[in-house]
Amino acid sequence: MLPSSPATHVLHVVGARPNFMKVAPVVRALEKRAGVEQTLVHTGQHYDANMSDVFFRQLEIPAPDVNLAVGAGSHASQTAEIMTRFEPVVLERKPDLVLVYGDVNSTVAAALVCAKLSVLVGHVEAGLRSFDRSMPEEINRLVTDQLADLLFTPSEDGDLNLQREGVPPEKIHRVGNVMIDSLVRLLPEASRCSANGFPESYALVTLHRPSNVDDGEALQKLLRSLLEISRQLPLVFPVHPRTRRRITEFGLQSGQLHLLDPLPYVEFLALQRNARVVITDSGGIQEETTYLGVPCLTLRDNTERPVTVSMGTNILVGQDENKLCREISKILNGQAKRGTIPPLWDGHAGERIADVLTASTR
Ligand code: UD1
């Protein structure tokens, strides 16, 4: 697939927090392969120190070679801005292959630029589908997978979705879950993290999905349910900038809820590992809790990661407060759902991606 020159130039594009734990293992695996040159581009979609810099440090990702510094914007303007600023970088750096990660606006923007310039694109975390096109990430996933030349999937459902959409099987490589590579590597460090200042038993909460936080009424309802839960079980709630902004904009009452700033990777991993339950609308956290065997209640009606429900500890509760409270009671009564770790979620997905890339250069 890649040109059979002695040196191969791989350019990685990342932009938002969930990309960082995915790129780290791939960069690390490719560093060990002879004849591979790597360039790292940060689009700057996430720019706060606690949404970006600290992740680079903890995950030991090399400093980006290029930062496009796009910042915030509407979906169209952010995507367009990334494309406009990324195109000259590709023309100047001339990579043999561009790797894009996950499902954020940076992913689809970079894939579109490369497809138009006839530069090969590999998509890491391909094939995931929620079948819900009201989710911006679903649009990003669909478009990126149609454009990509190499599709690296984390689980079998990804392969099946891609085949159903007409992607030729030879483009699909099931390599497992790269995000779990980062978790496996940093879990020992997380285990040494001090639990000082946190309750002994708690629910860990994260919330940032537009469908939950961009509507004032829905968000107020969720905050009320959380407040109710906090009477039985203390909550630890690191708040995403989008959610914090909405709470202020809508003038919502978060009552006794103690809102923390976003946490670094290792500290957050430590909190997940020790949580009685995790309540979230994130994608990646559904996977991390499945690996850790910690019960996860997902505040969404669907998931692009069905294996976390079929094999793992995840339960979809949507916006149904009664179901949420029922599931919390079950967990507190010792009847939490048990799960197993899906195949190839073993800490070696990055190496399998490097194998595919270097085999195709031979
Ligand atoms: C993005 C991804 C989402 C991912 C999430 C993880 C898309 C479409 N969505 O959503 O899939 O789960 O990242 O965090 O790409 N902001 C800051 N500081 C930052 C970053 C963002 O204040 O460092 C603010 C922005 O100004 C904006 C809001 O947070 O108002 C949302 O940021 P944005 O990048 O648009 O999307 P996310 O909601 O973070």
Side-chain angles (χ1 to χ4, degrees):
M1 181 64 78
L2 292 178
S4 49
S5 61
T8 299
H9 181 189
V10 176
L11 186 150
H12 308 263
V13 181
V14 291
R17 185 171 61 179
N19 294 153
F20 307 141
M21 37 296 232
K22 295 169 194 164
V23 76
V26 183
V27 168
R28 187 176 296 274
L30 285 174
E31 273 169 357
K32 293 189 225 138
R33 311 291 168 119
V36 179
E37 176 195 347
Q38 303 192 69
T39 298
L40 182 59
V41 175
H42 190 327
T43 65
Q45 179 177 344
H46 284 178
Y47 44 84
D48 285 353
N50 60 8
M51 295 292 283
S52 178
D53 304 3
V54 69
F55 287 81
F56 273 72
R57 264 201 313 281
Q58 292 194 335
L59 293 158
E60 296 178 281
I61 306 168
D65 299 286
V66 180
N67 193 323
L68 304 177
V70 293
S74 69
H75 283 274
S77 67
Q78 191 177 55
T79 308
E81 201 58 49
I82 296 168
M83 290 179 69
T84 309
R85 296 185 192 195
F86 183 55
E87 186 181 50
V89 175
V90 179
L91 290 172
E92 186 198 326
R93 306 250 171 178
K94 299 185 179 45
D96 298 308
L97 170 80
V98 171
L99 285 181
V100 297
Y101 295 81
D103 56 14
V104 302
N105 287 342
S106 303
T107 313
V108 70
L112 264 164
V113 167
C114 293
K116 298 283 180 95
L117 293 175
S118 301
V119 171
L120 289 177
V121 183
H123 183 203
V124 177
E125 201 185 77
L128 300 187
R129 295 291 179 270
S130 65
F131 303 101
D132 173 3
R133 292 199 186 188
S134 70
M135 259 183 108
E137 293 82 359
E138 182 74 354
I139 312 288
N140 296 344
R141 291 189 278 260
L142 281 161
V143 175
T144 304
D145 284 341
Q146 277 303 313
L147 299 176
D149 302 284
L150 287 164
L151 296 103
F152 297 107
T153 60
S155 45
E156 190 187 11
D157 53 290
D159 300 33
L160 298 176
N161 291 333
L162 293 173
Q163 284 170 24
R164 203 177 318 111
E165 289 167 17
V167 175
E170 62 273 17
K171 287 186 173 183
I172 304 171
H173 301 272
R174 196 185 318 155
V175 292
N177 193 323
V178 275
M179 199 189 54
I180 298 299
D181 288 12
S182 285
L183 185 156
V184 168
R185 200 172 77 81
L186 287 168
L187 199 53
E189 196 172 321
S191 314
R192 292 191 292 272
C193 238
S194 148
N196 275 353
F198 291 107
E200 171 102 6
S201 175
Y202 57 88
L204 177 63
V205 180
T206 81
L207 202 58
H208 74 282
R209 214 37 71 204
S211 56
N212 280 330
V213 307
D214 284 2
D215 176 271
E217 237 171 84
L219 180 54
Q220 183 68 83
K221 208 173 125 212
L222 265 170
L223 293 178
R224 249 187 259 120
S225 309
L226 291 176
L227 211 51
E228 193 57 42
I229 292 168
S230 71
R231 291 187 226 285
Q232 305 173 62
L233 184 64
L235 303 186
V236 176
F237 186 4
V239 184
H240 187 283
R242 169 192 279 278
T243 310
R244 181 154 320 246
R245 185 166 301 185
R246 295 295 182 239
I247 291 176
T248 316
E249 249 173 45
F250 301 141
L252 302 183
Q253 303 304 316
S254 49
Q256 305 298 313
L257 291 180
H258 182 50
L259 307 182
L260 305 176
D261 281 337
L263 291 167
Y265 181 77
V266 173
E267 285 75 358
F268 188 77
L269 185 52
L271 279 173
Q272 280 196 81
R273 184 177 163 268
N274 295 323
R276 195 77 193 268
V277 53
V278 176
I279 303 171
T280 189
D281 60 6
S282 149
I285 293 171
Q286 297 172 46
E287 300 183 332
E288 290 171 341
T289 45
T290 274
Y291 184 89
L292 295 167
V294 171
C296 179
L297 302 178
T298 297
L299 303 168
R300 289 173 47 190
D301 295 322
N302 51 53
T303 178
E304 61 288 338
R305 293 159 160 96
V307 75
T308 61
V309 175
S310 59
M311 296 188 74
T313 55
N314 191 18
I315 296 176
L316 301 181
V317 296
Q319 292 182 340
D320 181 343
E321 35 193 324
N322 293 329
K323 187 165 182 195
L324 176 61
C325 292
R326 260 198 327 273
E327 293 300 335
I328 294 276
S329 301
K330 278 200 218 160
I331 292 163
L332 291 179
N333 292 332
Q335 298 165 297
K337 180 182 177 190
R338 286 180 211 291
T340 52
I341 297 175
L344 302 179
W345 292 25
D346 58 359
H348 301 291
E351 282 152 40
R352 285 188 284 267
I353 291 175
D355 287 343
V356 172
L357 296 182
T358 49
S360 45
T361 62
R362 273 186 214 125

